[in-house]
Amino acid sequence: MTITYESVATPDGVVAPRFRPPTGASSASAMTLDGEWRFRLFPHPDTGVDRGERGDDWDRLVVPGHWQLAQAPHAWPYGMPEYNNVLYPFPVDPPHVPDDNPTGEYRTTFRLPADWPEGGRTVLRFEGVDSWFQVALDGEVLATSHGSRLPTEVDLTDRLHAGGEHLLAVRVTKWSAMSYVEDQDQWWLSGIFRSVTLEHRPDGALDDVRVHADYDHTTGVGTLRVDTATVVATPGPVAARVTVPELGIEGVTGEELQIAVEPWSAEQPRLYDVVISTDTETVTLAVGFRTVSIEGGVFLVNGRPIKLRGINRHEFDPLRGRAVTPELMLEDVLLMKRHHINAVRTSHYPPHPHFLDLCDRYGLYVVDENDLETHGFQPGGWVGNPVDDPAWTEVLVDRVTRTVRRDAHHASIVMWSLGNEAGGGCNLPVMVDAVRELDPSRPIHYEGDFSSDHVDVYSRMYADSEEVELIGQGIEPPLERPDVDARRRAMPFVLCEYAHAMGNGPGGLADYDAIFDRYPRLLGGFIWEWIDHGLTRADADGNLFSAYGGDFGERFHDGTFIADGLLLPDRTPSPGLRETAAVFAPIRIDTRPDGALLVRNRYSFRDTSHAELRWTLHRGEEELATGTLDLVLDAGTETVVRPPSGLPLLEPGEAPVWWTVRAVQQKAEALEEAWLEPGFELGAGQLLLVEPAGLPAPAGRVTTEADGGFRAGPAVFDVRGGLRSLAGRAVHDLRVDAWRAPTDNDRRPARWRGPADAEKWRGAGLHLLAERKDGVAVTADGALAVEARTAGPATRAGFATTYRWQPVTYAPDAVDLLVDIRPEGRWPESVARLGLLLALDEPQAAETGVRWTGLGPDESYADSRYAALGGAWRHTVADWQTRYTHPQENGARRGVTSAALSFADGSGLRIDADDVTIGARSQLGIELSLRPWSDDALERAAHPHELVPDGRLWLHLDAAQHGVGSAACGPGVLPNAQLHAAPVRMRLRFTSL
Ligand code: IPT
């Protein structure tokens, strides 16, 4: 049978799969073939080009890379990236793919170097080629392979001659039968995107190395056993010496060595160099001793329960796609460690192997996922799904065993995952058996095994916190079959995806985290996902922006769903990542209702002696006292702390007084290098000790102007009581507002059912609110009282509002506004915000400086607020904005009791807030948002660079906003963060500076 790109067949002409040591770990010779190759793109796999064609006059293309991104971000000579999430962009008709199937012909020539060893074998190794390819040497096709994120090796030995030049030809198709099993939520990007090497395999070499390195926590003894085999020439075991120089241990392969060791964990990633050698090859591996087990439904590492505070990571570089460099992999790992992430699911394919070396070294628990997703069969009821088709068994087993064979020596991997969103069927148990046979030491994960028939952990995605709580207690609804139910009920539970981080969010992370902590059965989970895959693209004017689905002219795509990470595409941490760091903090410091702080050591293995607990007592920008707490907590323990006695007794002043406690790293740790520098924050929390003194009553009188209008300090009104200018700036608008530029979460229905929040808000006309003045009067005590009603079109619901303006006699240029907002009529179950919108003319709004007292420094929302701490902060309006890849509501600062704006012309405006109540609840300060553009412009912009300042400063002075939730994929805003239409009262003071 001729194998074609539409064949459902395992790779042909390739070397049996084997382990992959870290680069440089083997003494055997190797040579990279990375660099500039010759390249030509054809519309169809029948390119008509002879494999012997050298392509000397073809284009040059850098390997590794994707051909679509060859000249990104400016030119796209080889077709453009396309984005689909679930659906196939071609008819579901396996194994067929469209005739329009761009195919790259790659050519390079090489010579074996003069010092290339005699004898042995020489293999050509591809780390990753997307999606199907054929390899030819000197005109002859030798191998056909696929498995885009898996290695392929071809034995070239018999065709190579010392000194001679060889022509390597690789034909790569964009689509193949394998596209059906590689339907991951990402850009379709093709080509040789990982490195290509020539590797010498000496006779009797260590082609394959299996490492078993367990740790017995009861004795402190590690068991090391190394098995080695030749694979390339004549498969079979090979004997080798095994030494652990650091411990003076010597042994041989096959032997179980019992060694007193320090164990490996993500918290303390202790590794030992293990040197394995035959007479012809030495391989040095960094080995971690650790045991993964499940006991009584609890997932244990080295005998202790752990929690996975994880993320899902796709490989992504905004210019290079999935062709990620070692530097970028390290950046990812360090960013994770710095944000207290301790686990990675390699969604949804095996990552570049170097990433796993880094996870071993820096300490991250890994769920290594097979390269398998067939999600596009779901809408058709999974009919024809390869996972349930015997014709695909060998291909699927080949994939998953290639994964295990490549990666099994990594200490960081704590579970294997069969794939993602690939349905169920007859091939699952076969894959499971194959994995267990290769590696019985690690549990198997697969969320798509819905009743967990075959796997070892109960896994779900996007289950809401209520359901997770039931699962934690082991009282989830039963499965139909009692035996299966009993088996699943005894399993640990993991959320392989949760807290969808699309745009502004995720909200509710802390709610999940608290539940994970409460129940031993809950292993934790993996936030979806690590980074926005926004590809850098230049627009017609040369401005660079982050492109998402549709931005490359695709007609069939999933738009902004590719931008759902904790990092912006350029790896700027989003507020969601800062929230993650605060929630995942290993030393959590939380406020208790009784006015104390609860300090919890959430490490599984270490005490807190590496951390110093530093406190400060501060008011506004003033530091009043500092100190440290003498406290060391054992793993898993907690204690209550209170401010030390003898602190100065403080009278209420302008700003609140906070007692802030930070747990910081004391000294650098040898193993963990750069990311853990002294002073690095391991957790923080605070207590509000003294509330600010209220604003004294204003007691001035408004004056009537010659034109019949009014004046109150820095505020000038027209005859109807409309604010015309404030602090010398024309007022474009002042009214009640209850709308926001919808977030990605607002735009989608919670749990995929019913109308989205933004739709409900639109239905109530919140996006088109307008205000009518109903009356103006000067009250007996000299205030200007303005009655107004704010409502949208086509609805009887509205806000009746009283504005009460009064000059402040004791402050020369100040005015107080007491605003009362009373909802009337029927409202949707939530509103986006409740407060005032104020738009001032300000030509250089973006350059306006702002210093505020409140929570900061970053934005926070009712259900994403752990990273924000009370204090005094400063920004410019430009920096105040979060440039979400898809523009939307952002930037709210909560708990703001005062903010001073300094305009580019040297003048300024101070805003103080007091007496803020929503319904019966009173709160400290307001929520402040500042923008150099309107919410309307924010909503309409498709990309941040399209937003241009409009000559106004737009302020939101809100009592509150609705939370952000995670409805883009999963649950919406929980009751504890919903905002309902309710009476609002606020006292605001505007002072001209
Ligand atoms: C879930 C997928 O597993 C993940 O790859 C990603 O696509 C995510 O959705 C959305 O961003 S599947 C979803 C339909 C529950």
Side-chain angles (χ1 to χ4, degrees):
M1 184 188 89
T2 329
I3 301 177
T4 76
Y5 60 96
E6 290 187 324
S7 302
V8 178
T10 51
D12 181 57
V14 300
V15 172
R18 62 191 187 94
F19 99 124
R20 195 271 196 191
T23 307
S26 159
S27 62
S29 299
M31 169 178 142
T32 180
L33 294 184
D34 290 352
E36 248 179 21
W37 291 35
R38 296 289 176 177
F39 179 77
R40 239 183 107 179
L41 190 70
F42 294 82
H44 186 271
D46 296 334
T47 61
V49 179
D50 195 275
R51 317 285 176 144
E53 161 72 57
R54 293 172 52 93
D56 284 333
D57 57 348
W58 294 3
D59 295 348
R60 289 159 196 270
L61 183 80
V62 173
V63 167
H66 298 284
W67 67 61
Q68 287 91 346
L69 301 181
Q71 292 176 33
H74 297 289
W76 316 86
Y78 309 120
M80 290 192 161
E82 291 171 64
Y83 166 56
N84 297 97
N85 177 358
V86 174
L87 302 178
Y88 295 110
F90 45 76
V92 184
D93 184 16
H96 304 294
V97 292
D99 277 355
D100 178 6
N101 187 2
T103 298
E105 289 279 7
Y106 288 81
R107 297 292 185 272
T108 192
T109 55
F110 66 89
R111 283 172 205 278
L112 286 184
D115 59 354
W116 197 255
E118 301 263 318
R121 315 295 295 178
T122 295
V123 298
L124 172 67
R125 182 174 175 96
F126 296 87
E127 295 294 353
V129 181
D130 194 327
S131 83
W132 181 91
F133 65 111
Q134 283 182 319
V135 183
L137 192 73
D138 300 326
E140 195 181 335
V141 177
L142 302 180
T144 294
S145 191
H146 53 77
S148 296
R149 273 70 56 167
L150 287 165
T152 290
E153 286 184 317
V154 185
D155 186 351
L156 302 183
T157 317
D158 299 336
R159 295 162 201 276
L160 296 174
H161 21 263
E165 190 186 66
H166 296 283
L167 172 66
L168 178 62
V170 186
R171 178 178 294 176
V172 184
T173 69
K174 173 171 178 176
W175 305 120
S176 69
M178 299 306 139
S179 305
Y180 285 97
V181 292
E182 295 181 3
D183 187 29
Q184 290 93 344
D185 178 8
Q186 59 185 353
W187 296 100
W188 295 103
L189 292 170
S190 323
I192 306 176
F193 74 100
R194 289 183 187 161
S195 289
V196 186
T197 45
L198 272 185
E199 300 193 356
H200 183 246
R201 302 276 79 235
D203 289 328
L206 301 166
D207 294 340
D208 196 29
V209 176
R210 309 257 199 108
V211 180
H212 313 264
D214 296 343
Y215 178 75
D216 182 341
H217 66 281
T218 60
T219 59
V221 170
T223 302
L224 176 68
R225 181 193 154 130
V226 178
D227 292 303
T228 48
T230 52
V231 170
V232 183
T234 39
V238 62
R241 293 176 294 284
V242 177
T243 63
V244 188
E246 185 185 338
L247 302 173
I249 300 287
E250 290 182 20
V252 292
T253 46
E255 182 186 1
E256 280 203 349
L257 301 166
Q258 308 279 328
I259 324 170
V261 289
E262 293 168 38
W264 183 96
S265 72
E267 291 168 16
Q268 289 166 308
R270 179 67 158 100
L271 296 170
Y272 293 87
D273 274 355
V274 172
V275 183
I276 306 141
S277 48
T278 66
D279 293 343
T280 55
E281 185 179 17
T282 298
V283 170
T284 307
L285 293 179
V287 169
F289 291 83
R290 55 116 194 85
T291 295
V292 176
S293 60
I294 295 174
E295 279 167 39
V298 181
F299 193 97
L300 308 175
V301 170
N302 301 332
R304 302 245 186 123
I306 58 156
K307 298 288 176 191
L308 300 179
R309 303 188 180 109
I311 51 91
N312 279 277
R313 174 182 181 266
H314 267 284
E315 296 183 312
F316 184 71
D317 177 313
L319 282 170
R320 300 168 47 85
R322 289 186 288 279
V324 289
T325 60
E327 295 75 30
L328 186 130
M329 295 179 225
L330 179 61
E331 195 180 336
D332 271 357
V333 167
L334 294 181
L335 273 167
M336 289 173 198
K337 294 295 290 189
R338 284 177 193 280
H339 291 89
H340 305 314
I341 288 161
N342 73 359
V344 186
R345 175 179 178 226
T346 68
S347 55
H348 301 303
Y349 42 78
H352 189 289
H354 179 64
F355 179 75
L356 298 171
D357 297 333
L358 296 172
C359 292
D360 291 347
R361 172 141 179 243
Y362 289 93
L364 287 164
Y365 298 118
V366 175
V367 174
D368 192 2
E369 193 148 272
N370 179 33
D371 194 347
L372 171 63
E373 173 157 343
T374 64
H375 210 163
F377 285 90
Q378 187 186 31
W382 295 109
V383 173
N385 181 16
V387 170
D388 198 25
D389 181 349
W392 284 83
T393 311
E394 278 183 44
V395 167
L396 300 189
V397 169
D398 169 71
R399 280 178 179 243
V400 78
T401 51
R402 276 158 80 192
T403 304
V404 176
R405 286 192 179 272
R406 192 194 74 165
D407 293 341
H409 56 290
H410 290 284
S412 53
I413 298 173
V414 294
M415 278 196 269
W416 300 111
S417 176
L418 301 182
N420 181 61
E421 292 282 10
C426 62
N427 292 326
L428 281 189
V430 193
M431 290 165 75
V432 164
D433 287 348
V435 173
R436 278 202 224 288
E437 195 185 322
L438 283 175
D439 178 19
S441 78
R442 292 175 175 99
I444 297 176
H445 165 273
Y446 174 53
E447 181 270 346
D449 178 5
F450 295 128
S451 45
S452 311
D453 273 32
H454 308 291
V455 293
D456 300 307
V457 294
Y458 177 20
S459 172
R460 292 276 301 279
M461 46 172 77
Y462 308 108
D464 57 37
S465 35
E466 219 172 299
E467 188 183 2
V468 173
E469 179 132 37
L470 294 183
I471 297 169
Q473 296 169 64
I475 54 169
E476 69 272 21
L479 291 165
E480 242 168 58
R481 285 156 41 216
D483 55 327
V484 182
D485 184 68
R487 196 171 162 272
R488 194 178 76 175
R489 217 169 276 278
M491 288 178 180
F493 176 81
V494 66
L495 277 170
C496 67
E497 294 176 24
Y498 79 115
H500 198 258
M502 189 171 182
N504 188 339
L509 187 64
D511 300 88
Y512 278 110
D513 191 73
I515 297 170
F516 295 157
D517 276 350
R518 201 169 305 145
Y519 302 104
R521 184 187 187 191
L522 304 180
L523 172 56
F526 299 87
I527 295 174
W528 186 267
E529 68 173 310
W530 177 234
I531 185 168
D532 285 355
H533 319 204
L535 286 169
T536 310
R537 177 162 197 194
D539 70 8
D541 302 323
N543 300 313
L544 298 182
F545 71 101
S546 294
Y548 46 75
D551 282 336
F552 292 100
E554 315 103 283
R555 309 262 312 262
F556 188 75
H557 62 83
D558 288 295
T560 54
F561 245 72
I562 196 82
D564 53 3
L566 294 171
L567 291 174
L568 302 181
D570 66 358
R571 285 188 162 67
T572 301
S574 78
L577 183 58
R578 297 194 204 288
E579 175 72 0
T580 300
V583 170
F584 284 3
I587 303 178
R588 265 286 289 268
I589 304 175
D590 289 292
T591 315
R592 294 194 347 160
D594 65 351
L597 292 177
L598 178 67
V599 184
R600 287 184 289 156
N601 175 357
R602 303 203 303 166
Y603 291 108
S604 295
F605 302 101
R606 63 189 312 187
D607 65 25
T608 60
S609 55
H610 62 298
E612 187 174 60
L613 284 161
R614 296 184 187 156
W615 60 261
T616 53
L617 184 75
H618 52 107
R619 167 152 51 198
E621 286 175 347
E622 200 188 345
E623 199 172 77
L624 304 166
T626 61
T628 55
L629 299 177
D630 190 13
L631 185 68
V632 175
L633 290 174
D634 285 335
T637 64
E638 60 185 44
T639 191
V640 171
V641 299
R642 292 195 162 78
S645 53
L647 286 183
L649 278 179
L650 296 160
E651 292 300 316
E654 257 189 22
V657 179
W658 296 96
W659 187 62
T660 303
V661 179
R662 292 171 198 272
V664 298
Q665 178 74 24
Q666 298 217 51
K667 55 181 189 319
E669 294 191 20
L671 270 174
E672 296 153 341
E673 292 176 6
W675 72 274
L676 244 189
E677 68 274 14
F680 179 75
E681 191 171 295
L682 301 164
Q686 61 183 182
L687 285 179
L688 176 61
L689 288 195
V690 186
E691 294 216 10
L695 294 172
R701 293 197 75 85
V702 294
T703 52
T704 310
E705 300 289 280
D707 64 356
F710 307 91
R711 173 181 286 274
V716 178
F717 304 85
D718 60 23
V719 285
R720 307 184 56 243
L723 183 65
R724 302 297 287 278
S725 79
L726 183 64
R729 297 204 136 56
V731 170
H732 171 73
D733 206 356
L734 171 73
R735 64 165 169 82
V736 167
D737 204 0
W739 170 253
R740 67 185 178 196
T743 64
D744 289 308
N745 290 313
D746 294 339
R747 287 168 193 266
R748 285 181 184 77
R751 299 183 187 81
W752 306 278
R753 282 189 297 272
D757 282 347
E759 284 323 300
K760 295 181 211 164
W761 301 338
R762 253 184 252 277
L766 298 188
H767 60 314
L768 293 170
L769 292 178
E771 189 168 274
R772 182 190 74 222
K773 301 275 180 305
D774 279 341
V776 55
V778 177
T779 63
D781 65 343
L784 181 73
V786 183
E787 297 297 332
R789 192 172 190 276
T790 310
T795 165
R796 292 182 64 82
F799 298 101
T801 307
T802 308
Y803 299 90
R804 211 170 171 283
W805 298 91
Q806 193 159 15
V808 180
T809 34
Y810 52 85
D813 218 0
V815 60
D816 267 22
L817 166 62
L818 187 66
V819 60
D820 243 305
I821 305 169
R822 301 171 304 276
E824 297 176 339
R826 283 166 60 92
W827 286 95
E829 58 221 64
S830 67
V831 292
R833 56 163 27 103
L834 280 176
L836 294 182
L837 167 71
L838 171 65
L840 301 175
D841 278 359
E842 169 48 45
Q844 284 165 275
E847 287 93 80
T848 304
V850 50
R851 296 162 79 140
W852 78 100
T853 306
L855 304 184
D858 293 316
E859 69 183 42
S860 63
Y861 289 82
D863 54 0
S864 175
R865 62 187 171 84
Y866 276 74
L869 291 178
W873 315 97
R874 51 177 86 183
H875 256 325
T876 61
V877 168
D879 292 342
W880 181 282
Q881 316 305 313
T882 303
R883 296 170 68 82
Y884 288 115
T885 303
H886 172 224
Q888 53 195 278
E889 159 61 34
N890 69 84
R893 290 347 190 243
R894 299 162 66 252
V896 177
T897 50
S898 78
L901 306 175
S902 37
F903 300 112
D905 67 2
S907 67
L909 173 67
R910 178 180 163 125
I911 303 167
D912 294 279
D914 192 13
D915 289 339
V916 183
T917 57
I918 310 175
R921 183 168 52 86
S922 65
Q923 71 180 34
L924 184 68
I926 55 168
E927 286 197 23
L928 177 66
S929 298
L930 300 168
R931 277 187 246 297
W933 40 70
S934 66
D935 286 346
D936 197 34
L938 183 61
E939 181 185 351
R940 275 185 285 110
H943 305 92
H945 74 291
E946 295 160 18
L947 283 163
V948 274
D950 62 4
R952 297 192 174 118
L953 179 64
W954 299 78
L955 299 96
H956 281 287
L957 310 165
D958 291 320
Q961 269 199 63
H962 192 52
V964 287
S966 176
C969 189
V973 177
L974 297 180
N976 62 12
Q978 291 171 0
L979 179 65
H980 308 283
V984 161
R985 203 160 205 268
M986 304 188 275
R987 180 119 75 94
L988 302 168
R989 174 165 298 179
F990 301 96
T991 309
S992 186
L993 300 175

